[in-house]
Amino acid sequence: MSLLALTDAQISTWVASFMLPLFRVAALLMTMPIIGTTLVSKRIRLYFALAITVVITPSLPPMPTVNALDLSGLLLIAEQILIGGLLGFSLQLFFQAFVIAGQIISIQMGMGFASMVDPTNGVSAAVIGQFLTMLVTLLFLGMNGHLVVFEVVTESFTTLPVGSAMLVNHFWDIANKLGWVLGAAMLLVLPAITALLVVNIAFGIMTRAAPQLNIFSIGFPLTLVLGLVIFWISLGDILNQYQPLATEALQLLRDMAQAR
């Protein structure tokens, strides 16, 4: 009875066919919203990465032979981590647009002091921004946005094969989209800001007409209440605001991965 004999080339091929995709998928899950937050433990994210890699590995193109102790192998691993991290970071831009929108509305309506610890990032954030983040998270999952992300990262192994080093254009794509995040946030809050600006102008006219009126004791609570009412009314159209932004964010993800 003879033992199974394996050559170094066979072991390297098997290791590369699983480990290189694992690094790209794990980097995506560590940086993308929802799964990549501190709410999901690193062990759970690693289990997710292992499960996804096991499922998609049979359908991936052949991987180059790599020696784990060689410099070329380390460079290939670093390339996969960079690609996965960039794909995840591009999705973070989409979610941060709603966080910035919540911050702007909170400051305009006088709720800038109402902040809480953001459990996803570990920093203090406005309550309205947290509400919008949770709402967008539910919409993203309800519309199967996470499945689109997994589809794109699987297709990226064909459009961005391992060892292609096609990364320079992706940095420019993200840099060009940084301004898009601020513009998207301003579009989200423009109706609320306009309405609150009219309210503040009305208070200014009241102050000029009746100087003896204590505008601070009246204006602050009234601005707060009207701001909440305006925000509640604007939520009725949140789906029409979410869809074009989500479409553009997922299109950016596909453009970065050069997917169809």
Side-chain angles (χ1 to χ4, degrees):
M1 182 177 179
S2 60
L3 297 176
L4 179 63
L6 296 176
T7 63
D8 293 340
Q10 289 175 323
I11 296 176
S12 298
T13 301
W14 291 348
V15 170
S17 62
F18 181 78
M19 292 302 296
L20 292 178
L22 176 63
F23 279 106
R24 185 180 297 192
V25 174
L28 171 68
L29 295 183
M30 292 294 176
T31 56
M32 70 176 292
I34 305 173
I35 299 177
T37 61
T38 56
L39 296 176
V40 182
S41 66
K42 296 180 181 179
R43 181 177 298 179
I44 299 299
R45 280 179 271 175
L46 181 58
Y47 290 158
F48 276 148
L50 288 171
I52 294 173
T53 305
V54 169
V55 172
I56 68 175
T57 296
S59 62
L60 298 181
M63 298 293 166
T65 303
V66 59
N67 187 355
L69 301 179
D70 193 6
L71 179 60
S72 61
L74 296 178
L75 291 177
L76 287 177
I77 291 174
E79 180 192 47
Q80 306 318 303
I81 295 175
L82 187 58
I83 291 176
L86 287 174
L87 294 178
F89 182 72
S90 65
L91 285 176
Q92 288 284 1
L93 297 178
F94 165 64
F95 277 74
Q96 289 304 312
F98 290 88
V99 175
I100 296 174
Q103 294 278 4
I104 295 174
I105 294 177
S106 298
I107 295 173
Q108 189 70 21
M109 65 189 294
M111 284 191 64
F113 64 90
S115 60
M116 60 178 291
V117 177
D118 184 1
T120 61
N121 299 315
V123 298
S124 181
V127 176
I128 293 182
Q130 287 298 298
F131 175 79
L132 288 177
T133 301
M134 291 186 290
L135 181 60
V136 172
T137 299
L138 293 176
L139 289 174
F140 189 79
L141 294 175
M143 295 184 177
N144 294 328
H146 58 295
L147 299 181
V148 177
V149 175
F150 297 152
E151 178 188 359
V152 171
V153 73
T154 303
E155 193 172 349
S156 69
F157 288 98
T158 303
T159 57
L160 295 175
V162 176
S164 60
M166 300 165 58
L167 297 173
V168 179
N169 293 331
H170 303 331
F171 289 104
W172 290 109
D173 290 339
I174 289 182
N176 292 331
K177 286 299 179 179
L178 291 178
W180 167 79
V181 175
L182 184 58
M186 292 303 298
L187 289 176
L188 287 171
V189 302
L190 190 59
I193 289 180
T194 304
L196 290 172
L197 180 62
V198 173
V199 173
N200 290 327
I201 292 175
F203 284 140
I205 296 174
M206 290 172 58
T207 304
R208 296 292 295 177
Q212 68 276 12
L213 184 64
N214 190 352
I215 196 64
F216 292 101
S217 61
I218 299 176
F220 181 76
L222 193 56
T223 303
L224 186 60
V225 172
L226 290 177
L228 290 175
V229 172
I230 293 169
F231 178 69
W232 173 63
I233 294 174
S234 64
L235 286 178
D237 196 46
I238 189 64
L239 187 60
N240 293 330
Q241 297 174 340
Y242 166 83
Q243 286 180 336
L245 293 179
T247 302
E248 189 168 353
L250 293 176
Q251 185 60 44
L252 170 63
L253 189 69
R254 290 185 177 278
D255 293 341
M256 290 184 60
Q258 299 181 2
R260 296 191 301 271

